[in-house]
């Protein structure tokens, strides 16, 4: 077989897999199949295709490529996450998200890595399956396996009426958690040839701080530069006519600048050994806040749809790609790592979520209830970032091109189990914990009652509403700075206008605009009832009084005066805020 024929057959098979995955995802979403998420179906199809590929005899060419993943598939997903982010909700919970994503990732990684090293010491895990620096390798294993990927969970959340605070915390933690895990992984790699000591710990934290700060600065600098240029492309706010000849189409230039500047930011960050994920995420946020409102209506709609399409296709392909790797598992599997991987992932997630949730509630004005904490614990799925880092592990011998086969195989098993099993039970779990149908104020009122057992539901609802309506000083200061200095330079919404361009009808406006700040998905706007917001205290009281968690018989979960939750799908006018 010629090399051209080999590539043609391989690409044809992969393309057929991708088309099949897209069609399967459509039918799952269209007919609201509950027992398997689209990501899980994509992974199963990939496994089937991997078996066919192995029988056909050209499976080696379909081995997972870290370069293709980190430079081709991951950037559209990360940028779309920032670009379609509901910034107001995200930053209101930013303190909580950061605690779970940064210290929480460190805790999970160190716990997982330390226990794994202990298993090596007692010979549950074979020392021969690791390299020359088992302690560092175990810590690297802990760092990579701490990268969460809740795509399966979030796709189910989008189809259910879950509290916005749950969606925002899970989503925000996953983005920052991936960046933290990658930075920690790369930092530990630098000490692969150097013996660890107590003196290296401050260096690791300093390195993490430099990477995180530098990544944000690069992302914002590039995005602000692009926004500044595109702001000058306009003739005037609201103008639909642009300068140029009849063949001149300014829209394609606007789209090209946004897309290319975003990828430039990612490449700059990676070239400087920083975090491209952090850079691209904040680039997307900045473009959505400023650039989006300086381009033409056609460019705005195209950009939103383009990033939605690219992220969707990349996500589907990534999960199918992971499934393909089942047929490519290399020799050198370790039974100890395979059997202990999933239990250790659950333990490390618990050590992360529950102690930090306790500390977070000490600082939050609106606490997180226990049922929401349980959901956060179960949403820590592992995905392609973890496997991509596993393939990138340092060589352990001259015969291996890359990675440690035992850790790579164990990581793939963890990814498969977490996506197929835990992703599949997300919907039933949310219903079992009583979170479906509750809005944010009802959820926080339940948490307020759990921390103040003597408070009745009505008093809890009053307290939560008063806290929610209390103005946030930092947010007010940022809005003043943004309105006075930044928007005149870089664009964005101003003067109370819904958009720089008047749109023809409500449907078009909903297509382009979201909320007050972001080009968010229309489907989410409709699904969450943003067009019909509830604003009365009575609805919150009804939610709190009517709610009874299924574990109410447990003495540890004993709030009173709750029954079966009966609410609409409205979203309250205020979401959770951090102190």
């Amino acid at each position: 077989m010629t090399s051209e024929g080999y590539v043609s057959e391989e690409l044809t098979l992969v393309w057929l897999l991708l088309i099949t995955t897209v069609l399967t995802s459509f039918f799952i979403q269209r007919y609201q199949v509950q027992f398997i998420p689209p990501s899980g179906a994509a992974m199963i199809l990939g496994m089937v295709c991997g078996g066919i590929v192995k029988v056909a005899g050209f499976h080696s060419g379909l081995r997972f490529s870290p370069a293709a993943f980190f430079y081709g598939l991951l950037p559209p997903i990360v940028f779309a996450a920032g670009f379609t982010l509901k910034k107001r909700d995200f930053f209101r919970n930013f303190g909580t998200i950061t605690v779970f994503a940064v210290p929480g990732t460190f805790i999970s990684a160190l716990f997982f890595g330390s226990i794994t090293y202990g298993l090596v010491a007692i010979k549950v895990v074979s020392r021969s399956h690791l390299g020359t620096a088992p302690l560092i390798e175990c810590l690297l294993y802990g760092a990579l396996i701490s990268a969460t990927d809740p795509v399966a969970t979030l796709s189910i959340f989008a189809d259910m009426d879950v509290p916005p605070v749950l969606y925002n915390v899970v989503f925000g933690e996953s983005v920052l958690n991936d960046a933290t895990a990658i930075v920690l992984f790369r930092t530990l790699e630098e000490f692969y040839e150097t013996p660890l000591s107590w003196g290296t710990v401050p260096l690791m934290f300093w390195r993490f701080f430099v990477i995180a700060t530098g990544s944000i600065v690069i992302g914002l600098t590039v995005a602000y530069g692009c926004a500044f240029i595109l702001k000058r492309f306009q003739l005037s706010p609201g103008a639909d006519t642009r300068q140029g000849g009849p063949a001149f189409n300014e829209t394609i230039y606007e789209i090209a600048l946004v897309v290319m500047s975003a990828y430039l930011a990612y490449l700059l960050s990676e070239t400087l050994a920083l975090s491209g994920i952090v850079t691209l995420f904040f680039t997307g946020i900045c473009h959505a806040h400023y650039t989006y409102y300086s381009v033409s209506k056609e460019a705005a709609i195209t950009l939103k749809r383009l990033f939605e399409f690219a992220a969707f296709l990349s996500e589907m392909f990534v999960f199918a790609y992971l499934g393909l790797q089942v047929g490519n598992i290399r020799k050198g599997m370790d039974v100890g790592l395979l059997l202990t991987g999933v239990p250790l992932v659950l333990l490390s997630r618990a050590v992360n979520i529950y102690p930090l949730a306790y500390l977070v509630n000490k600082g939050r004005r609106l606490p997180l209830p226990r049922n929401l904490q349980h959901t956060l614990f179960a949403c820590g799925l592992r995905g392609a970032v973890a496997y991509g880092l596993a393939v990138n592990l340092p060589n352990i011998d001259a015969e291996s091109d890359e990675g440690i086969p035992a850790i790579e195989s164990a990581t793939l098993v963890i990814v498969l189990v977490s996506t197929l099993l835990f992703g599949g039970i997300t919907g039933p779990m949310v219903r079992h914990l009583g979170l479906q149908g509750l809005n944010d104020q009802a959820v926080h009122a339940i948490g307020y009652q759990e921390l103040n057992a003597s408070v009745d539901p009505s008093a809890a609802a009053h307290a939560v509403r008063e806290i929610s309506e209390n103005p946030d000083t930092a947010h007010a200061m940022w809005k003043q700075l943004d309105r006075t200095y930044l928007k005149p330079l870089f664009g964005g919404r101003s003067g109370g206008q819904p958009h720089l361009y008047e749109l023809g009808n409500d449907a078009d406006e909903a297509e382009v605009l979201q909320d007050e700040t972001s080009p968010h998905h229309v489907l989410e706007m409709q699904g969450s009832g943003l067009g019909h917001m509830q604003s009365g205290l009575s609805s919150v009281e009804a939610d709190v009084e009517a709610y009874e968690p299924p574990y109410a018989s447990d003495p540890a979960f004993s709030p009173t005066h709750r029954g079966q939750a009966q609410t609409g799908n409205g979203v309250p006018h205020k979401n959770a805020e951090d102190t």
Side-chain angles (χ1 to χ4, degrees), residues 233-499:
F233 272 20
Q234 292 178 236
L235 292 175
S236 62
D240 286 323
T241 57
R242 305 291 178 105
Q243 295 175 345
F248 178 69
N249 182 0
E250 192 172 57
T251 298
I252 62 174
Y253 294 96
E254 294 171 330
I255 296 170
L257 275 176
V258 173
V259 174
M260 295 176 70
S261 68
Y263 198 65
L264 172 64
Y266 185 82
L267 294 176
L268 282 175
S269 186
E270 291 294 320
T271 301
L272 296 175
L274 301 175
S275 172
I277 288 182
V278 174
T279 296
L280 203 53
F281 180 66
F282 280 93
T283 300
I285 292 176
C286 192
H287 275 311
H289 190 64
Y290 298 105
T291 310
Y292 184 80
Y293 298 104
S294 295
V295 300
S296 64
K297 182 178 75 172
E298 293 80 6
I301 295 175
T302 303
L303 282 170
K304 187 171 82 72
R305 290 305 185 197
L306 174 64
F307 294 135
E308 288 176 354
F309 162 75
F312 165 74
L313 208 60
S314 296
E315 287 175 355
M316 289 297 99
F317 183 72
V318 162
F319 281 100
Y321 201 19
L322 285 172
L324 278 172
Q325 305 314 302
V326 174
N328 293 332
I329 293 180
R330 297 189 289 165
K331 296 180 181 179
M333 291 188 294
D334 186 280
V335 176
L337 286 177
L338 292 175
L339 294 179
T340 60
V342 173
L344 282 182
V345 163
L346 295 176
L347 283 174
S348 62
R349 182 70 177 171
V351 170
N352 169 358
I353 294 298
Y354 293 110
L356 291 183
Y358 175 81
L359 295 177
V360 161
N361 279 343
K362 293 293 185 182
R364 283 181 65 98
R365 295 180 295 170
L366 297 172
L368 303 176
R370 293 189 184 96
N371 55 353
L372 191 141
Q373 295 175 33
H374 299 330
T375 308
L376 290 177
F377 162 74
C379 289
L381 311 182
R382 270 54 178 179
V385 172
Y387 187 72
L389 293 175
V391 176
N392 258 346
L393 279 167
N395 299 357
I396 63 172
D397 55 53
E399 298 179 0
S400 176
D401 293 332
E402 58 188 5
I404 301 175
I407 291 180
E408 182 183 328
S409 301
T411 302
L412 183 58
V413 169
I414 292 171
V415 170
L416 292 173
V417 171
S418 65
T419 301
L420 297 176
L421 178 61
F422 295 108
I425 65 173
T426 297
M429 177 193 62
V430 169
R431 287 188 288 270
H432 176 72
L433 293 176
L435 286 170
Q436 186 174 15
L438 296 184
N439 58 33
D440 277 359
Q441 289 193 12
V443 167
H444 292 308
I446 295 166
Y448 190 89
Q449 258 197 296
E450 290 176 352
L451 295 180
N452 303 274
S454 61
V455 176
D456 60 63
S458 179
H462 277 284
V464 167
R465 185 179 183 185
E466 289 179 1
I467 294 171
S468 299
E469 293 180 344
N470 189 29
D472 188 329
T473 304
H475 180 65
M477 292 174 62
W478 159 251
K479 287 184 68 175
Q480 181 65 26
L481 172 68
D482 190 41
R483 186 184 304 112
T484 305
Y485 299 103
L486 298 180
K487 286 185 176 179
L489 281 175
F490 305 111
R493 300 181 65 187
S494 60
Q497 295 177 336
H499 196 266

Side-chain angles (χ1 to χ4, degrees), residues 103-188:
T105 302
F106 274 92
I107 291 171
S108 294
L110 294 177
F111 180 86
F112 189 99
S114 300
I115 298 298
T116 302
Y117 184 69
L119 295 175
V120 174
I122 63 176
K123 299 183 178 179
V124 173
V125 174
S126 175
R127 172 70 175 79
S128 63
H129 288 155
L130 301 178
T132 57
L135 177 57
I136 287 292
E137 288 156 3
C138 289
L139 292 177
L140 284 168
Y141 183 27
L144 68 89
I145 210 64
S146 297
T148 61
D149 187 2
V151 171
T153 296
L154 293 177
S155 67
I156 294 174
F157 283 175
D159 295 331
M160 301 180 67
D161 188 14
V162 300
V165 64
L166 174 60
Y167 187 98
N168 289 321
V169 172
V170 171
F171 170 78
E173 185 214 350
S174 69
V175 175
L176 298 185
N177 161 277
D178 283 352
T180 303
I182 292 174
V183 170
L184 180 58
F185 181 89
R186 292 177 177 175
T187 304
L188 286 168

Side-chain angles (χ1 to χ4, degrees), residues 58-125:
F58 49 86
H59 63 280
S60 59
L62 295 178
R63 176 164 166 74
F64 190 91
S65 169
F69 173 70
F70 285 108
Y71 288 96
L73 298 172
L74 186 60
I77 298 172
V78 175
F79 184 83
F83 192 75
T84 61
L85 179 73
K86 295 180 69 175
K87 296 181 290 296
R88 183 171 55 184
D89 295 337
F90 175 81
F91 285 107
R92 277 179 176 157
N93 293 283
F94 189 71
T96 298
I97 291 168
T98 303
V99 169
F100 287 131
V102 182
T105 302
F106 274 92
I107 291 171
S108 294
L110 294 177
F111 180 86
F112 189 99
S114 300
I115 298 298
T116 302
Y117 184 69
L119 295 175
V120 174
I122 63 176
K123 299 183 178 179
V124 173
V125 174

